[in-house]
Amino acid sequence: MMKRRSFLLKSTVLSAASIVMLHNNGFANSIANTFMELVEDDFKNPVTHYRPFVRWWWNGNKIEKAELARELSLLKDAGIGGVEINPISFPSNTDDMGIPSVEWLSDEWIDLLKFTLEEAKKLGLTCDLLAGTGFPYGADFLQGEERAQVVVVAVKKLEGPIKIEFSLFDLFKEADPATLSPYSGRTMEMLELNIVPDPLISMEQVKNITDQVTNGVVKVDLPAGKFAIYGLVKIDGFMRVIQGAPGGVGPVLNHYNEKAVKKYLNKITDTIQNRIGPLAPYIRSFFLDSLEMEGANWTSDMMAEFKKRRGYDLYPYLPFILFRTGRMGNTVDLNYAVKMSPELEKMLNRMRFDFELTKAELFRERFSITFSQWCAQNKIKSRTQAYGRGHFPLEGSFGMDIPEGETWLKYGIGEEITEADFTKYPWHLGRGNTMINKYVSSAAHLKDKKLISSEELTNTDMVFAETLAIFKIAGDQSTISGITHPIFHGFNYSPKKAAFPGWITYGGYFNEQNTIWPHFKKYTDYRARQSALLQQATFFADIAIMAPIGDMWGDFGAQMEPFPSRVTPPYQMLVWESIHQNGNACDYVSEQVIASAEFKDGLMIYGSRKYHTLFLIEVKSIEPQTAKKLYDFVKAGGRIFCIEAYPEKSLGWLNHHKRDQEVSEWIDKLKSYPKQFILLPKPAADFKTWYQRIQTQYGVKPYVTFAKPNSMLTQIRYQAKDTEILLFTNANAHYSIMLDATFLPEITADKQAWIWDAATGDKFKIDLKNGNFKTKLYPADSKLIVFNKEDSGQMWHPIPEVPPKAIKLNSIWKVTFRHMDKTVKTKEMRELHDLKELREFTHFAGIVSYTSTLHLSNPSSFRYIDLGKVFGIAELIINGKDMGTTWYGRNAFTVNNAFIKGANTIEIKVTTVMLNYMKSLTENAIAQYWSNNSKRKEQPLQSMGMVGPVNLF
């Protein structure tokens, strides 16, 4: 710590003469060495702000001082560096022990908040604060136009001749989008009623019958043929805050109403700070959670703003650009509308894009900018999940201090998965990524931000089945996508005396009663060390990719970006993954980024980012100015790969013929550079091999080459002062992968290669032959390779593979079962078994201790033990001496001189998951809800214990 403080102090008082000295190589090298010493210090012993944070749910705001203080200390001891205070509703079917709720923003709540902030500061913990309760933002004090609004369409198909009457109630019921959290005070208004022929060839065929409504009923007399009644319905205050806490349970905020946004935000800070003073000394950031606005798309001046921005009146076409939507605003029926002529459909697609663009602009101007300015005015950072339906997936994060993505746990993570299955909803199995993480991190890189957080380990499917190894696979996938700081989802405020298993709002059973809790700090240490290193370096990428966001908006409307119901095209994620799986690296860009870029010496330059290659993923529609910029890039020596299609037309409706022609002319000019503007067919399968062929055919030079690329093996590269950092990960939960990687000389030249072990904080030298590094990555394994100028240190000696002459321990094991319910059983085992297959232990949860006696005549000849397959966290004790713990990867240990001549006692303690036990608690409603509830998805029994074989060598 003294070295760090001394360096920081000195670095702030460098004189002009000292700056000149930087040109002296010796001085520059000493600064670089000091920098690396500081980074190594942070890596070995990460300071608090690098440590993982937790989302801290204040369940029902049933909070008390003593429990708040207890939980803060508990989190500190578990290696947590900060809390996000998140008031939320009280979980259903849970005993609240008669503890009253404290209303959000009441004097009592504010006083408890102040107490919490002061206690956290004493412990050195950072605090973030959700600017509201639940999600998205909303509260009881919002009125009228301040409440979220949505315009939806109701379609009733008919076949004439027929005389029929409809009540508006029937049409309102048809239009109802069945939101997840409807607000009881919502009102519906019929904006327009039309009779539409099926198919619809031209808008002149639409007949408006709005004025024919009498006493809430409309009578329709149709001739022969197919028709539909179209109702355009506006719903005011249509949704309630999802899981809001008392005081914040009301209607959702109208995010398109700037005056309402300011009222909402200022109400929070004025109420709190008028009572306890400025929050800035205590709060790092205000947090914006999921923008799950269920398709909100309206405000009173929406059509006026549309006309001003897009140059025409959308209102007559509005019913025909809307889809049938359901929960989360997802499109639920693409065939809901009448059939339309191809020309009319093309026109409406262009108008739909214009509507989505207008919504995104208004959201950015009226909400996002207002929110970030409010944070700045209060001298507090903005931390934001700035994505969702109808918002710019990339630019939404630009103005936020701490952009945030999210990574979920679901069954399927860590499993082999076909590309076909990978491109299906929910888009995050196998490797464990969400659609949005690469967008969020790319946005941060484009704006030179190094602190990029993620709502991490979000878990509603694998509750009580979580393992540290699964945590690691998910966390490594966050890191691979560019995340540098996890916010665990989450920690439930739950009094110590609460009935087992405690208060649980969501899954993610981060609780001291969890069997794995005593080992949880091993994982928090691991993530803290990664964060400490990567937040002080710069993510490397020299390839840009652009998805057809404009085409998607026109064809399907904007999607819910973390888990979109539709992706255009479905294989989009496989492109960026295949780039990284073959030793290159990339960022997403957008038309707005390209429009602001400069082009020089074959590079697209945006701020400090430089890209020599751009992939357009089935981009068919672009703005004319973007097409010109693409030409400027190619003319400057850059290269563009168009996957499946060249851009061929413009976006939007107004003057589109003229703008289409402009796009066509620029694309024709680009085609005159056939070696730099290249059309590529997408592969039928195997994207990683497809990209490898592109590298070979077009000379796309990787900075690291894999002898055998694997879809579960990938890498990222960071750079710091005279330092190269590469992380390699195996996302497979079951199988090992051989890492055979050769680095470019630009990485290895004049540098020593090191393994930095984020699990232990140790570092080891490795010798590379011709830049090649080869090792086995075991399940959930990773290797962090650092190249720097340092040259002295301990060599890396990995545990060798089990040799043929190893001694297999086939002894009788005395097994002690210490159940988490405090019962103890013992059993002798001549053969090791998966405990879930043994009837008397199928529903065990706790610590299984395997003890055996081994007689050795030459103990010094044995250096290693390999436990084989272990389902759980394994601790090895030899002759009473702790030899370490394995929680991922290979269950192997170096025993050094632990063995003695004669009798040796070997004990292996295996900590199991809780799920099987929770499934057996049939009278416990909470246990059953998360483990056996058929309305969710019944969880399968989990394997447990040591299966072996155990080898000594």
Side-chain angles (χ1 to χ4, degrees), residues 37 44 79 109 127 175 247 260 322 367 379 392 533 617 621 668 691 819-820 824 845 854 905 920 930:
E37 288 175 5
K44 182 72 175 177
W109 186 88
C127 287
L322 299 175
F367 178 78
K379 297 180 173 56
F392 294 113
L533 178 60
I617 308 173
S621 308
D668 285 342
Y691 182 74
H819 200 292
M820 65 181 299
V824 179
L854 177 66
T905 301
S920 73
W930 292 109

Side-chain angles (χ1 to χ4, degrees), residues 628-648:
K628 179 190 179 300
K629 285 284 193 169
L630 297 180
Y631 176 76
D632 292 342
F633 179 39
V634 167
K635 189 177 179 181
R639 178 166 47 196
I640 300 174
F641 292 109
C642 300
I643 302 176
E644 281 293 293
Y646 289 122
E648 59 188 17

Side-chain angles (χ1 to χ4, degrees), residues 57-284:
W57 288 300
W58 283 8
N59 284 313
N61 273 336
K62 294 177 180 292
I63 48 176
E64 298 173 324
K65 283 185 177 181
E67 181 60 24
L68 289 167
R70 185 189 78 85
E71 293 186 12
L72 284 170
S73 294
L74 187 71
L75 290 168
K76 171 77 172 183
D77 292 343
I80 296 299
V83 294
E84 169 207 307
I85 297 168
N86 195 309
I88 203 163
S89 61
F90 192 74
S92 60
N93 301 320
T94 301
D95 180 6
D96 69 359
M97 305 162 59
I99 298 173
S101 293
V102 182
E103 187 166 307
W104 177 61
L105 294 186
S106 67
D107 287 351
E108 184 182 358
W109 186 88
I110 294 169
D111 291 344
L112 286 165
L113 173 67
K114 180 182 180 182
F115 170 81
T116 303
L117 300 176
E118 290 174 342
E119 286 295 304
K121 193 169 187 177
K122 291 176 187 175
L123 293 169
L125 296 175
T126 301
C127 287
D128 291 349
L129 178 64
L130 178 70
T133 80
F135 55 93
Y137 287 168
D140 289 321
F141 56 77
L142 297 172
Q143 303 293 325
E145 292 280 329
E146 298 165 350
R147 300 171 174 179
Q149 299 175 318
V150 66
V151 170
V152 293
V153 65
V155 177
K156 288 280 193 179
K157 293 182 179 179
L158 303 168
E159 187 164 354
I162 188 173
K163 290 183 180 181
I164 193 170
E165 64 179 40
F166 290 100
S167 73
L168 293 189
F169 177 81
D170 288 337
L171 292 169
F172 289 150
K173 187 176 179 181
E174 174 67 25
D176 192 339
T179 58
L180 179 68
S181 183
Y183 178 56
S184 59
R186 63 184 181 160
T187 60
M188 291 188 174
E189 177 186 354
M190 185 64 68
L191 298 179
E192 190 170 288
L193 210 55
N194 293 294
I195 296 176
V196 181
D198 188 0
L200 178 62
I201 308 302
S202 129
M203 292 300 295
E204 285 72 28
Q205 296 174 284
V206 176
K207 181 182 178 182
N208 190 307
I209 58 169
T210 311
D211 59 359
Q212 297 180 23
V213 177
T214 303
N215 297 323
V217 174
V218 61
K219 295 179 180 180
V220 178
D221 185 355
L222 296 175
K226 292 183 177 181
F227 298 88
I229 302 297
Y230 266 64
L232 187 66
V233 179
K234 178 164 76 80
I235 311 176
D236 290 326
F238 79 102
M239 71 174 294
R240 179 174 59 94
V241 175
I242 301 170
Q243 294 191 271
V249 185
V252 165
L253 169 70
N254 187 339
H255 292 65
Y256 299 107
N257 183 330
E258 184 177 347
K259 185 177 179 181
V261 173
K262 288 181 177 178
K263 172 184 173 178
Y264 173 83
L265 296 174
N266 289 331
K267 171 77 171 179
I268 295 171
T269 41
D270 289 350
T271 305
I272 295 174
Q273 295 182 150
N274 286 344
R275 182 165 180 82
I276 62 173
L279 285 168
Y282 297 97
I283 296 290
R284 178 190 71 157

Side-chain angles (χ1 to χ4, degrees), residues 335-402:
N335 298 311
Y336 185 63
V338 299
K339 290 182 171 58
M340 298 180 187
S341 66
E343 288 305 312
L344 183 59
E345 190 168 357
K346 289 177 183 177
M347 178 186 78
L348 293 173
N349 284 358
R350 288 179 178 274
M351 291 179 171
R352 187 178 296 113
F353 167 81
D354 284 339
F355 187 47
E356 297 294 351
L357 177 61
T358 302
K359 288 193 302 177
E361 289 174 347
L362 287 174
F363 185 89
R364 177 169 58 187
E365 295 163 16
R366 296 179 175 183
F367 178 78
S368 297
I369 293 174
T370 303
F371 174 76
S372 60
Q373 289 176 343
W374 169 74
C375 291
Q377 288 162 6
N378 286 281
K379 297 180 173 56
I380 289 172
K381 294 184 183 297
S382 55
R383 182 180 132 237
T384 312
Q385 295 180 0
Y387 45 83
R389 182 174 300 281
H391 320 309
F392 294 113
L394 197 66
E395 288 79 6
S397 295
F398 276 5
M400 304 303 171
D401 296 312
I402 309 172

Side-chain angles (χ1 to χ4, degrees), residues 814-819 825 829 835 841 844-851 871 873 875 907-912 944-946:
K814 180 183 178 182
V815 186
T816 303
F817 297 84
R818 294 182 177 86
H819 200 292
K825 291 183 179 181
M829 285 188 178
L835 299 182
F841 299 111
F844 175 82
I847 299 174
V848 189
S849 178
Y850 300 81
T851 305
F871 294 104
I873 300 166
E875 303 171 76
E907 182 182 10
I908 297 116
K909 292 181 179 179
V910 178
T911 302
T912 76
M944 299 182 296
M946 182 169 67

